[in-house]
Amino acid sequence: MKMRFLALCTALAAATALTGCTLSAGSDGGTRKVTLWLMKGSASDDFIDAFTRTFEREHPGVDLEVKIQEWTGIGEKVNGVLTGSSKESADVIEVGNTQVAQYIETGGISEVTLEGRRKWGGRDWLRGLSEPGNVDGAQFGVPWYAANRVVIYHKDLFAAAGVKDLPRNRQEWLAATQKLDKGDQQGIYLAGQNWYVLAGFVWDEGGELAIEANGQWMGTLDSDEALAGMEFYKKLQNLGDGPKGADEETPPQAEVFARGKVAQIIAPPGQAAQIEARNPALKGKLGYFPIPGKTSDKPGAVFTGGSDLIIPARTRDRAAAVDVITALVSEKWQTELARTMSYVPNKTTLAHVVQGNEGAAAMAPGAAQGRATPKSARWADLEGKNPIKPFMTAVLTGQDPRQSARTASETISKVLSSDR
């Protein structure tokens, strides 16, 4: 079933919710219960408690129930709510930004295009959060928070190598990394299959991982632009001893960095805490800067991770669900969440609220250039097989880049265009 048809079906479901399900649990004057599903680890207990108390105080007669969900198996649970096949229900659900397309295909999400424009400042939303939740101009996912990769660096090693100015473009980055890559010290630890990092380099070159035309997806790793992105990845990866046939978790790159002989890694700022936990001697010695772009006028493109909020069309109280999202995306609670969890707020106009947090502040410029994975409901299936990883290893080990890319692109095309 194609996305355009599903978007229409979902919009109709939303209209039905507005016209046929207006009686809420509190229509008789009693307390109205509104259920919010949040993912484990997305917000602290203190944030959730404070938000719940404030929301209920500002919305008399509403009982806000927050249920924490595990990421494992969440897809089936969400789909159960959206289709009505589950005994559980929810009025607002947090979902991963790259999962939204899959849920839109399931159907049963309430369209929020007008609210996005009129209430939630949709014009300023981060692209990497808003685009996955938009189908044919209709908005279904509401950006909540973002996180992306930055360069985490060892300040002492930079100083010892005479690198005084942090690099702002690719050439400066390569030059600095070459100075840092000497003896048993690695200029950068970059695993050969860190495809999230590669995606940013591909986008910087004007390339794509895949494109859609007339309802069919086509892998595009064999385009000149994508190959240029891979070529830069190869240059950077060669300035360290990262494994060419493994990803950043094999072994965990934070563990490698903690040994003290790595000058840089590319990771979310939160990995600094993992590094310091393994090697407390590095506390105060870690810094951050945005991934440099091709030129100094803007940082490099990055893969944007994070979450969107959706309203199931089967909600018993859509108005209250809208109120919950209105509060969660307000400047007050966006600021609180960003500062508490070191996230990037959902709008470019709120980037200033994380200036006091070095890691989050380094994320913000990249987030403005951030992107998400292709808007295919099959992307999760593709990641299970992930032909991008062996393509990267093939190039790094000297195989023909274009032929390796063509093989990967064929698999991408087949998986993304398949019917379940």
Side-chain angles (χ1 to χ4, degrees):
M1 191 177 292
K2 301 304 178 210
M3 297 287 276
R4 186 181 300 274
F5 175 69
L6 286 162
L8 177 59
C9 291
T10 312
L12 290 173
T16 301
L18 283 169
T19 58
C21 302
T22 54
L23 291 178
S24 70
S27 59
D28 59 355
T31 300
R32 300 150 58 199
K33 175 182 271 190
V34 181
T35 302
L36 166 64
W37 281 14
L38 296 182
M39 300 308 301
K40 184 177 181 179
S42 288
S44 68
D45 291 342
D46 288 345
F47 174 92
I48 293 171
D49 290 344
F51 177 81
T52 301
R53 288 195 306 270
T54 303
F55 184 85
E56 290 180 343
R57 184 175 67 249
E58 294 176 349
H59 297 81
V62 176
D63 177 14
L64 177 61
E65 177 186 41
V66 180
K67 290 187 175 181
I68 305 302
Q69 306 293 330
E70 298 283 348
W71 283 105
T72 302
I74 190 60
E76 184 177 350
K77 291 190 71 173
V78 173
N79 284 331
V81 171
L82 298 181
T83 60
S85 61
S86 172
K87 294 181 180 179
E88 295 188 89
S89 63
D91 300 291
V92 178
I93 302 176
E94 175 196 351
V95 298
N97 63 322
T98 61
Q99 299 173 331
V100 183
Q102 172 189 339
Y103 296 135
I104 293 174
E105 185 185 58
T106 297
I109 301 178
S110 181
E111 184 185 340
V112 291
T113 307
L114 292 180
E115 288 87 354
R117 292 173 182 169
R118 295 175 179 175
K119 288 177 174 283
W120 301 326
R123 292 180 180 177
D124 299 317
W125 281 340
L126 296 179
R127 179 183 177 188
L129 294 180
S130 63
E131 283 195 348
N134 187 292
V135 175
D136 296 331
Q139 195 72 37
F140 297 93
V142 183
W144 189 29
Y145 70 83
N148 51 266
R149 287 162 179 78
V150 300
V151 181
I152 301 176
Y153 72 99
H154 193 312
K155 293 179 180 179
D156 287 357
L157 299 186
F158 267 56
V163 180
K164 298 179 181 180
D165 298 321
L166 296 177
R168 297 183 303 155
N169 60 59
R170 284 187 182 179
Q171 292 309 308
E172 292 178 358
W173 195 16
L174 286 175
T177 307
Q178 286 171 344
K179 286 184 179 181
L180 292 157
D181 189 41
K182 56 185 179 182
D184 63 349
Q185 177 179 298
Q186 299 183 55
I188 189 169
Y189 180 86
L190 180 59
Q193 295 183 348
N194 196 331
W195 69 273
Y196 292 110
V197 173
L198 172 64
F201 297 160
V202 169
W203 293 328
D204 276 342
E205 295 288 347
E208 300 288 346
L209 303 179
I211 59 174
E212 183 186 23
N214 299 320
Q216 293 293 309
W217 283 93
M218 179 175 65
T220 52
L221 287 176
D222 53 335
S223 69
D224 291 343
E225 294 83 2
L227 289 171
M230 183 63 219
E231 177 60 25
F232 177 72
Y233 190 101
K234 183 176 182 179
K235 290 179 180 178
L236 190 64
Q237 202 270 341
N238 281 336
L239 297 175
D241 300 325
K244 292 177 169 45
D247 63 22
E248 65 276 16
E249 291 301 319
T250 316
Q253 62 178 357
E255 179 181 302
V256 178
F257 191 100
R259 297 169 190 164
K261 294 294 185 179
V262 171
Q264 308 168 82
I265 58 171
I266 302 172
Q271 285 202 7
Q274 299 174 30
I275 294 167
E276 293 173 350
R278 288 184 169 90
N279 185 356
L282 290 178
K283 287 186 177 181
K285 297 182 179 181
L286 304 181
Y288 316 83
F289 60 88
I291 295 174
K294 290 187 69 175
T295 58
S296 299
D297 60 332
K298 65 179 181 179
V302 292
F303 167 76
T304 300
S307 288
D308 282 17
L309 301 167
I310 62 172
I311 299 176
R314 295 174 182 273
T315 175
R316 294 174 298 173
D317 197 333
R318 188 181 187 280
V322 169
D323 287 342
V324 170
I325 293 181
T326 300
L328 284 171
V329 302
S330 67
E331 182 170 352
K332 170 183 170 60
W333 292 107
Q334 281 288 294
T335 299
E336 186 68 24
L337 185 68
R339 291 178 176 173
T340 301
M341 304 300 295
S342 295
Y343 292 148
V344 176
N346 69 343
K347 293 190 288 190
T348 56
T349 51
L350 293 177
H352 64 279
V353 306
V354 295
Q355 287 307 308
N357 183 310
E358 188 179 357
M363 278 196 295
Q369 308 294 324
R371 300 274 302 277
T373 50
K375 246 185 330 189
S376 167
R378 305 288 180 272
W379 189 261
D381 298 337
L382 182 78
E383 286 194 27
K385 302 177 181 179
N386 210 329
I388 304 174
K389 289 186 173 184
F391 153 66
M392 297 173 72
T393 296
V395 176
L396 294 174
T397 55
Q399 297 182 43
D400 179 72
R402 194 172 296 276
Q403 182 55 50
S404 300
R406 189 170 294 122
T407 299
S409 293
E410 289 172 354
T411 301
I412 291 173
S413 301
K414 181 178 179 180
V415 174
L416 297 189
S417 293
S418 65
D419 290 326
R420 283 197 176 96

